[in-house]
Amino acid sequence: MTSQLLVRSMTVESEGVLSVELVDPDGRELPAWEPGAHLDLKLTDQLSRQYSLSGDPADRHRYRVGVLREVAGRGGSAYVHDVLRPGQLVGFTGPRNHFRLEPAGRYVFIAGGIGITPILPMIARVEAQGVPWSLLYGGRTAASMAFTSELAAYGDRVTVHPQDAHGLLDLDALLGTSRIDTLVYCCGPEPLLRAVEERTASWPADALHLERFAAPEPPARDPAGEHEVEVVLAESGITLTVGPDTSILQAILDAGIDHDHDCTEGICGTCETKVIDGEVDHRDYVLTQREKDAGDCMMVCVSRACGKRLVLGL
């Protein structure tokens, strides 16, 4: 169910980045959240976008998100920057969290541009816990990098690295040696994520945690390898035949089942669905390998079945 939030304030954080403070219109407490969570904001009837929560999880009366104006975006950032104003209401669902902060002996945080937003509450949490950590934060220019004044309080544990002044991030020096007690959290543009993935390939399994804002180029698939699947919606009592050219999500919607979804690219986690029976061909960029191996949920917008039948909790 979608509820509403009131835009209480909007602040310029850097060139091209606004932070938006959201509260309950009646002053009530907001749903709890943990570092790494995001909100699905319904800006208009046709425009819904996900934004990482960047404030304090202990503050149950306000949410804060950061929004980068994207010139080549899908319209959400332009709406926030050009139309949305304090005093207006927006719909929301969530918070949802597919970028959870797991326990570790040490953390390495890497952020690129607006990817700093989910990292901020993570840093605050591990700092409060007394766990060692470091942050490497890159951006195009110093003027484009948001929330640097907040980060200044952490001293030399934070490295702010604008590309125009210092070049590309030195990921080889940071990640060249794997560490068994360390988790790496990274959020930013796709080239940065790919570079971090390459340099942590020899690290322990599940050491790397990524959050994507856009889906990478999908691997080429032979259409002849796709197949029809029977999908049983256990709670609805409906059985669907999903053709090789139709997503399971689309088949669910075509059957008249109202199922939350947004990106349709396997990156936001909105369409996560319980799997009761059947083996999943996971094609999303949200679940960890451990979660995929468990096989008890799937992103129905992109993932399919390895076999001929799936039973879902819908």
Side-chain angles (χ1 to χ4, degrees), residues 165-284:
H166 303 293
L168 296 175
L169 300 178
D170 189 355
L171 298 177
D172 290 323
L174 183 65
L175 304 172
T177 303
S178 65
R179 298 165 230 170
I180 60 172
D181 64 339
T182 301
L183 292 183
V184 179
Y185 279 80
C186 179
C187 185
E190 186 60 27
L192 172 63
L193 301 187
R194 287 200 303 270
V196 171
E197 284 180 312
E198 291 169 2
R199 287 161 177 81
T200 55
S202 63
W203 284 54
D206 289 339
L208 176 61
H209 296 256
L210 300 177
E211 183 167 64
R212 285 181 157 89
F213 292 142
E217 188 69 26
R221 298 185 185 275
D222 182 358
E226 304 294 341
H227 62 273
E228 184 177 276
V229 60
E230 179 183 84
V231 177
V232 179
L233 308 183
E235 296 177 8
S236 304
I238 296 173
T239 298
L240 307 173
T241 299
V242 182
D245 298 326
T246 303
S247 71
I248 294 175
L249 171 63
Q250 190 58 56
I252 291 169
L253 298 175
D254 289 345
I257 304 297
D258 185 16
H259 190 44
D260 286 346
H261 66 283
D262 186 45
C263 75
T264 69
E265 296 180 316
I267 61 169
C268 73
T270 303
C271 70
E272 180 178 351
T273 305
K274 180 181 179 181
V275 176
I276 297 173
D277 188 44
E279 186 178 356
V280 180
D281 177 7
H282 292 286
R283 302 180 182 184
D284 67 272

Side-chain angles (χ1 to χ4, degrees), residues 9 11 13 18-23 30 33 37 39 51-56 59 62-66 116-117 120-121 147 150:
S9 66
T11 304
E13 301 290 351
L18 287 175
S19 65
V20 182
E21 185 180 292
L22 303 153
V23 298
L30 298 169
W33 61 283
L39 288 179
Y51 297 106
S52 297
L53 287 163
S54 63
D56 179 4
D59 185 350
R62 72 174 186 134
Y63 291 146
R64 185 183 70 171
V65 299
I116 191 62
T117 51
L120 291 171
F147 305 108
E150 291 183 25

